[in-house]
Amino acid sequence: MSDYAEYDSLVSQKSQAEGQARACEKRVEDYDNKIERLKRAAHQLPGMKSSFKSIRKAEKALADTGDDWMGETKNKFAQKIDTLETQNDRYYKNTLDYVHDELNNEITRLQNLRAEEWGVLGRLYGVINDLGTKIANFFN
């Protein structure tokens, strides 16, 4: 292989490695954007739980104020409503907990993929630096 052909090969290899690095950087950026969106969503869930508790307390306070309806039938009805609300509340809270867990799991998965990309980028940057040095030293 002639000197110029070898030089062109090194330049081409470096260009390819730089293209791969740019693509890898783009994937890291995409992961960062997804992670940030998921973190914002996960951050809102505790507030939703808190808001739900406040609403339930307000509803109970309103329901406990001066009913005209009294007696055993009202007590049985109130007990069944309380049971139903408790079951619904538990389901709602469990669902929010599940969603929060799944968001955290997805964030972790994306962070792991991002870390893998950084490993690839490190190797690519090493190759690019090595090729750059070989190109700079080629005609010395």
Side-chain angles (χ1 to χ4, degrees):
M1 179 184 286
S2 73
D3 285 347
Y4 288 109
E6 186 177 345
Y7 177 82
D8 288 342
S9 174
L10 291 171
V11 169
S12 175
Q13 289 174 36
K14 183 179 179 204
S15 178
Q16 287 176 347
E18 288 169 339
Q20 290 173 342
R22 281 190 299 276
C24 199
E25 289 166 350
K26 175 67 172 122
R27 287 190 300 272
V28 167
E29 183 181 326
D30 289 345
Y31 288 139
D32 286 342
N33 291 334
K34 288 176 185 176
I35 289 167
E36 186 57 36
R37 286 194 314 268
L38 291 173
K39 282 183 176 181
R40 283 195 307 265
H43 183 70
Q44 291 176 354
L45 289 174
M48 291 173 70
K49 249 191 204 179
S50 179
S51 296
F52 180 75
K53 288 178 187 175
S54 297
I55 290 168
R56 276 294 192 227
K57 285 180 185 176
E59 286 175 351
K60 287 187 188 283
L62 184 61
D64 290 340
T65 59
D67 281 334
D68 291 334
W69 187 19
M70 297 192 242
E72 187 178 333
T73 304
K74 182 206 181 215
N75 291 340
K76 286 181 183 178
F77 178 77
Q79 186 179 18
K80 288 186 181 202
I81 291 298
D82 284 344
T83 301
L84 183 60
E85 285 179 345
T86 300
Q87 290 170 349
N88 286 340
D89 290 359
R90 192 175 307 122
Y91 176 77
Y92 181 77
K93 290 174 190 172
N94 288 344
T95 300
L96 283 179
D97 287 342
Y98 173 79
V99 169
H100 201 180
D101 291 348
E102 289 301 308
L103 283 171
N104 287 335
N105 291 340
E106 182 64 6
I107 289 167
T108 299
R109 186 184 76 79
L110 291 172
Q111 287 171 333
N112 290 340
L113 290 172
R114 181 182 177 273
E116 288 175 20
E117 292 293 339
W118 273 110
V120 171
L121 268 174
R123 290 187 296 279
L124 283 170
Y125 290 152
V127 167
I128 292 167
N129 284 336
D130 186 48
L131 290 169
T133 301
K134 287 180 180 179
I135 290 168
N137 291 339
F138 192 79
F139 289 111
N140 288 345

